[in-house]
Amino acid sequence: MDFTPDEMMTIAAARALSNDDVCFVGIGAPSAACNVARLTHAPGITLIYESGTLGTAPEVLPLSIGDGELCETALTTVSVPEMFRYWLQGGRISVGFLGAAQLDRFGNINTTVIGPYTHPKVRLPGGGGAPEIASSCGEIFITMRQSVRGMVETIDFVTSFGHGTGGEARRKLGLTTKGPTLLVTDLAVWRPDPDSKEFTVRSLHPGVSRAMVQDSCGWRVRFAGDLEETPPPSHLELQTLRDLYARTKAAHRAQGAA
Amino acid sequence: MTCIMSLGDAVAELIADGNAVAFEGFTHLIPMAAAHETIRQGRRDLTLIRMTPDIIYDQMIGMGMARKLVFSFAGNPGVGLLRRLRDTVENGWPNRPEIEEHSHAAMANAYEAGAAGLPCAIFRGYLGSDLRKVNPSIRTVTCPFTGEILAAVPAIRPDVAVIHAQKASRRGDVLVEGIVGVQKEAVLAAKRVLVTVEEVVDDFDDLHPNLCVLPHWTISAVCPVPGGAHPSYAHGHYRRDNAAYLEWDKVSADRDSFLGWMKANVLDVGPEAFAERVRPLRTKG
């Protein structure tokens, strides 16, 4: 089956999640990946959205983190303070899945401003749950489309801390969690170097060249010595994702969303 | 003691110029009708506190009512950015309110501290984040037992909390169901509380004992406004109006179209307009 780069990105991200994970889900691409995992190889995964919905199993993808669909299909729904205190800060979440407007090579994320904070060129939504998701979850997966504007040498604002300037930066800050351990883009799968913590390309998606990855990334890309090719989406993975999108589109259209 | 009264009277009595006001509701049960009444009554110089400013504060900001904004995520959920908020921050139109920006964890903890009568909230947060460089209210404390350095933020103590809920009893007790967000904490942290509800019922005798109920003596005024959370939703009553969120992206893109929309849909109508807006979205009643 033919597939798009976005489909490959979502499916490659879904594969990184396991049946035993308790996953804090960001909206957008992370939400699609988490639900594909749940509907394929990880039926037992616990998905948590910051609106307080624990163990949710949406039939269709939510448009926001607080859609009624999440509450209706959840095991239980707790208040937002309880969500952030007992469940996130309490260390009960194994994986946080985030998107990024701007990202650097050490997995630091900016979702606050483009340009200076007091006079921004673009005022972005801000941190929301991400600053503490990034520090309190066992590890962090990041997924985003590659672009030279999005993947930059220096981000304008550190909303959510990744590996800082690399190396032992997290430990020096007193962080005991792993931080970003995976970056899945529309072109490649990246993992941090064990020592420097710089994101390094571990596998290229089918049909992608090293030059394509470098041309759409604002920092000088490092490639692993044993660079692999990402296995293409299986029929089941692709069908599951497409069915999910089709159900989502139909449901939101029926509810009046154009 | 709770009074069941009209929304117009409640806003006139409870919300004054210069107040710190928290309109809360986490994606769900957003008190839009109460915000529209506040806009119609022309309140000024407000400190607008809300975790997710959303369309509700985009409208109030665009109408020039904000002196200060306290928030943690300023987006149009599922759509993109808030264009009136962007215009105020990027271009100073129609004014340039002071910004106090937090994370969700900080604001949720700060409301809880307010409800608990504490001066500040302590939590593990903001580690490595630049937010602490741009927000002087973000400080640290050292745990006297372990030596761990923790984040501290001031408790949120609004003059007024405004929420929307599914139902109230005649006595004025209030039930919130579904995604309960941070409303209970906002209510208990505030000096005065305005609640709009979908319906008023005789009593709560048939409710499950563990539901989120706010006793009547914690609430200043209850105002029946069916549909009052539109375009957000009321679990068990009506769905989210996703089309309205998409439409807002276009309406709010331009100052003139924004002002025209506000005149036609807010200034020239009353709270009764909300019941009609949710009619096609109803799941019950």
Side-chain angles (χ1 to χ4, degrees), chain A residues 12-216:
Chain A
R15 288 173 184 160
L17 293 162
S18 82
N19 202 46
D20 298 328
D21 274 324
V22 177
C23 182
F24 209 110
V25 186
I27 210 67
S31 180
C34 292
N35 281 288
V36 168
R38 181 178 62 81
L39 294 166
T40 54
H41 66 279
I45 192 170
T46 297
L47 301 184
I48 295 180
Y49 290 72
E50 67 190 12
S51 52
T53 49
L54 287 177
T56 186
E59 261 299 297
V60 302
L61 293 174
L63 277 178
S64 77
I65 45 79
D67 277 21
E69 172 81 7
L70 295 172
C71 181
E72 281 157 20
T73 62
L75 176 63
T76 186
T77 297
V78 301
S79 73
V80 169
E82 179 177 328
M83 180 81 256
F84 281 95
R85 287 169 66 79
Y86 300 174
W87 302 93
L88 180 61
Q89 184 178 259
R92 293 182 168 80
I93 300 179
S94 60
V95 178
F97 218 127
L98 298 173
Q102 235 187 13
L103 180 78
D104 70 18
R105 70 180 73 198
F106 295 113
N108 302 299
I109 294 174
N110 172 21
T111 51
T112 303
V113 282
I114 303 296
Y117 183 80
T118 47
H119 295 90
K121 201 164 95 194
V122 183
R123 173 64 230 200
L124 300 169
E132 283 77 21
I133 293 173
S135 58
S136 291
C137 293
E139 61 188 312
I140 297 297
F141 296 169
I142 300 167
T143 182
M144 68 185 291
R145 279 188 205 116
Q146 289 201 201
S147 73
V148 286
R149 286 171 64 193
M151 296 169 77
V152 297
E153 185 67 40
T154 309
I155 59 178
D156 293 335
F157 191 93
V158 180
T159 311
S160 306
F161 191 78
H163 293 288
T165 51
E168 294 290 295
R170 282 183 77 83
R171 199 183 52 76
K172 284 179 191 153
L173 261 185
L175 286 161
T176 54
T177 50
K178 289 183 191 160
T181 56
L182 175 72
L183 165 63
V184 180
T185 68
D186 49 346
L187 302 179
V189 175
W190 311 54
R191 297 268 185 191
D193 178 90
D195 298 320
S196 73
K197 305 295 189 212
E198 177 179 341
F199 272 129
T200 305
V201 177
R202 298 296 295 275
S203 78
L204 297 172
H205 298 338
V208 173
S209 67
R210 290 179 184 232
M212 287 163 73
V213 174
Q214 181 62 77
D215 290 348
S216 54

Side-chain angles (χ1 to χ4, degrees), chain B residues 3-165:
Chain B
C3 279
I4 295 180
M5 61 168 83
S6 77
L7 182 57
D9 289 348
V11 168
E13 188 177 314
L14 298 175
I15 304 177
D17 286 353
N19 276 177
V21 190
F23 290 76
E24 277 296 351
F26 203 81
T27 309
H28 175 219
L29 293 174
I30 298 174
M32 292 296 297
H36 284 187
E37 183 60 34
T38 309
I39 293 169
R40 276 191 294 276
Q41 293 195 18
R43 291 293 175 282
R44 314 293 296 181
D45 295 323
L46 300 176
T47 293
L48 294 176
I49 307 165
R50 181 172 159 76
M51 291 180 70
T52 55
D54 206 302
I55 292 178
I56 183 172
Y57 280 5
D58 215 32
Q59 294 179 351
M60 296 173 89
I61 290 163
M63 296 303 279
M65 298 163 71
R67 184 180 60 77
K68 181 177 178 182
L69 303 171
V70 183
F71 68 93
S72 44
F73 185 87
N76 179 346
V79 178
L81 307 177
L82 289 176
R83 296 180 183 279
R84 292 298 94 221
L85 182 135
R86 279 190 63 185
D87 204 13
T88 206
V89 174
E90 294 168 19
N91 309 310
W93 191 91
N95 61 337
R96 206 179 274 282
E98 185 188 337
I99 299 267
E100 180 179 331
E101 183 167 3
H102 285 284
S103 66
H104 279 350
M107 285 197 73
N109 276 283
Y111 273 122
E112 199 181 50
L118 289 170
C120 72
I122 296 171
F123 65 107
R124 190 178 293 116
Y126 288 126
L127 283 163
S129 173
D130 283 346
L131 281 166
R132 57 204 301 174
K133 296 181 187 164
V134 297
N135 180 349
S137 316
I138 301 169
R139 311 270 177 93
T140 57
V141 294
T142 305
C143 170
F145 306 103
T146 64
E148 182 176 358
I149 294 170
L150 297 158
V153 291
I156 295 175
R157 305 297 300 269
D159 294 309
V160 194
V162 182
I163 67 166
H164 185 78

